[in-house]
Amino acid sequence: SRAGMALSVLVILLLAMLYEAIKMGKAVLLRRALLALPRSLSQELLAEPEEGGTGPAQGRYHRAPFAPGRWFRYHIGQTLFHVVQVVLGYMVMLAVMSYNAWIFLGAIAGSTLGYFV
């Protein structure tokens, strides 16, 4: 029926939007995880000190002290986001493989809207 097809297209559109949102969330978590990692000694020695600073620890690249628990939580979050992203990706792929043009257009529109937002 038309109502069933419209609902199917809407669900696929929302799933594709959610896929893009999770992809962006993974990127944010990756950035935070990288900031939580300790800098190597060579980077610390090469950091440019700020004016009035006396050593590399005062450099403009100074980060908060390494907290292994925080980095691990970010990594767990990235892992969970990845699993959800893979599941959603396969669901959208299977829907598109129904070879229905409206479902395909819903997936494309959802991906576009999700990336735009």
Side-chain angles (χ1 to χ4, degrees):
S1 69
R2 289 183 182 187
M5 179 56 69
L7 183 63
S8 297
V9 170
L10 180 65
V11 167
I12 295 303
L13 185 134
L14 292 175
L15 285 176
M17 284 181 70
L18 183 61
Y19 176 85
E20 290 294 331
I22 287 176
K23 190 167 71 170
M24 297 305 286
K26 266 179 59 176
V28 168
L29 273 180
L30 176 62
R31 188 176 320 124
R32 289 183 183 172
L34 290 175
L35 288 175
L37 286 174
R39 296 189 318 180
S40 71
L41 185 58
S42 62
Q43 285 177 330
E44 205 168 292
L45 291 175
L46 293 176
E48 298 175 13
E50 292 179 353
E51 290 181 26
T54 58
Q58 307 269 322
R60 66 178 187 177
Y61 300 110
H62 181 68
R63 295 184 187 178
F66 176 59
R70 189 173 62 167
W71 176 83
F72 188 71
R73 283 193 298 264
Y74 287 136
H75 188 62
I76 292 295
Q78 281 180 304
T79 303
L80 294 176
F81 270 166
H82 177 74
V83 169
V84 172
Q85 183 184 8
V86 167
V87 168
L88 285 175
Y90 277 117
M91 288 173 63
V92 171
M93 179 194 67
L94 286 173
V96 167
M97 288 181 64
S98 69
Y99 300 107
N100 184 313
W102 292 110
I103 299 260
F104 174 74
L105 291 174
I108 296 299
S111 180
T112 303
L113 287 173
Y115 184 81
F116 181 74
V117 172

